[in-house]
Amino acid sequence: MQILGIVGPSDSGKTTLVERLAERLADRGRVATVKHLKTEPTVDTEGRDTARHRAAGAAATYGITDDAGWFATGADRSLTGTLDELAAQFDYCLVEGYSDRPLPTVALADREHAGETVASAADADAVDLDSLVDALDGLEPYESLASLVADVKRSPDARYAGAVATFTGRVRTQEGPDDEPTEHLEFEKYDGVAEERMATIRAELEAREGVQEVRMHHRTGVVEAGEDIVFVVVLAGHRREAFETVEDGIDRLKDEVPLFKKEVTVDDAFWSHERPE
């Protein structure tokens, strides 16, 4: 799934740009949108306030119309968790707001943001949609465990598979209760070289007897404590082949793919090869 953040002041036309982009991208694939809300959502086609359901104790509320349209409100949902779910079903996601998150971003009216600048303009009307869509398609896709599992299950050889095995690596906050907590990790890679080596590992693993599909993905940039870093997914005929290939896949990825890790704790920051004693 390709993700694009859109940030700017309230009068810069953020929502207008989301509308124009969604219309353009809908011809290319399925589009989802996420909006950063500053107030409690109160949408309801019958004029009832779904916040009343929440106040009564519901953790999540859904409104579903007769034509299968729907909306939802709830508690304890993060942007990362939402994107992870959407990645399995959608080709594009437009995220309005969230200037503090490291997303590839269109910045309107010089709005500061934490992500890579894909485009900038005075307002929504000044954005060149053709150039923006081309740039969006050139970005590295956002992958989650769910999206990789869905991808291998679409394999034409899936009818021969009796197992899907996965590995997920995540940011460990502490080694033990007395250790200094990690706030986040930051990953960099040699562009081109990392992708080439991952492709080689994948091809060699898929050449094994009984293995149909292998997917590997390592996130780069800032990954917060508790968030997922790396995934290996294997579609295979039987569980033994699947488990062995997953283990070999993550071992080879860590040993052979040029990735560099910076750890940021509450009191310090250092690259892994410069870790203090």
Side-chain angles (χ1 to χ4, degrees):
M1 180 177 74
Q2 304 289 50
I3 295 179
L4 185 67
I6 298 170
V7 303
S10 57
D11 60 351
S12 61
K14 297 191 299 292
T15 301
T16 298
L17 181 55
V18 170
E19 291 172 335
R20 291 169 59 201
L21 270 173
E23 183 177 3
R24 177 72 65 89
L25 294 171
D27 294 332
R28 296 168 171 248
R30 299 191 69 205
V31 182
T33 64
V34 177
K35 182 177 175 65
H36 188 195
L37 299 177
K38 299 295 181 66
T39 59
E40 186 75 14
T42 57
V43 180
D44 193 306
T45 56
E46 296 182 3
R48 299 172 184 168
D49 192 341
T50 54
R52 292 172 59 185
H53 298 200
R54 294 269 304 283
T61 64
Y62 290 83
I64 304 173
T65 66
D66 290 339
D67 61 358
W70 65 280
F71 64 89
T73 68
D76 300 323
R77 172 169 285 272
S78 67
L79 176 61
T80 298
T82 300
L83 296 177
D84 285 352
E85 291 181 14
L86 293 175
Q89 304 177 54
F90 293 90
D91 301 295
Y92 299 95
C93 183
L94 305 176
V95 180
E96 182 179 343
Y98 287 102
S99 58
D100 61 334
R101 296 305 302 267
L103 306 174
T105 298
V106 177
L108 302 178
D110 296 323
R111 173 55 60 89
E112 294 184 356
H113 59 93
E116 171 191 358
T117 300
V118 178
S120 59
D123 55 33
D125 292 336
V127 175
D128 183 336
L129 279 191
D130 290 333
S131 297
L132 181 55
V133 170
D134 288 343
L136 176 58
D137 283 337
L139 296 174
E140 182 177 351
Y142 183 95
E143 299 285 6
S144 67
L145 180 62
S147 69
L148 296 173
V149 170
D151 192 28
V152 300
K153 286 184 175 181
R154 288 191 288 266
S155 169
D157 294 327
R159 63 187 183 276
Y160 305 123
V164 176
T166 71
F167 171 83
T168 301
R170 62 196 299 269
V171 180
R172 181 175 48 248
T173 304
Q174 292 174 286
E175 290 277 358
D178 297 327
D179 291 331
E180 185 178 8
T182 295
E183 293 187 341
H184 67 261
L185 301 179
E186 183 176 349
F187 293 92
E188 294 182 1
K189 65 181 179 182
Y190 278 129
D191 287 334
V193 177
E195 289 84 358
E196 180 181 343
R197 292 192 183 173
M198 262 207 237
T200 298
I201 295 169
R202 172 182 167 180
E204 292 176 357
L205 294 177
E206 287 181 337
R208 293 182 173 186
E209 184 71 26
V211 175
Q212 278 80 42
E213 300 284 346
V214 175
R215 296 291 184 275
M216 296 186 295
H217 181 75
H218 198 297
R219 289 177 171 167
T220 56
V222 174
V223 186
E224 302 289 342
E227 292 187 349
D228 298 337
I229 307 168
V230 59
F231 311 102
V232 178
V233 177
V234 174
L235 182 76
H238 302 89
R239 64 181 183 275
R240 186 177 300 278
E241 297 132 354
F243 289 145
E244 290 176 352
T245 304
V246 162
E247 184 174 11
D248 291 345
I250 188 60
D251 287 346
R252 290 191 60 183
L253 189 155
K254 289 177 68 67
D255 290 342
E256 301 175 28
V257 178
L259 290 155
F260 305 95
K261 180 177 70 175
K262 182 179 182 180
E263 182 173 352
V264 177
T265 69
V266 293
D267 294 322
D268 200 4
F270 44 85
W271 293 99
S272 58
H273 61 281
E274 299 172 342
R275 186 180 184 95
E277 295 299 331

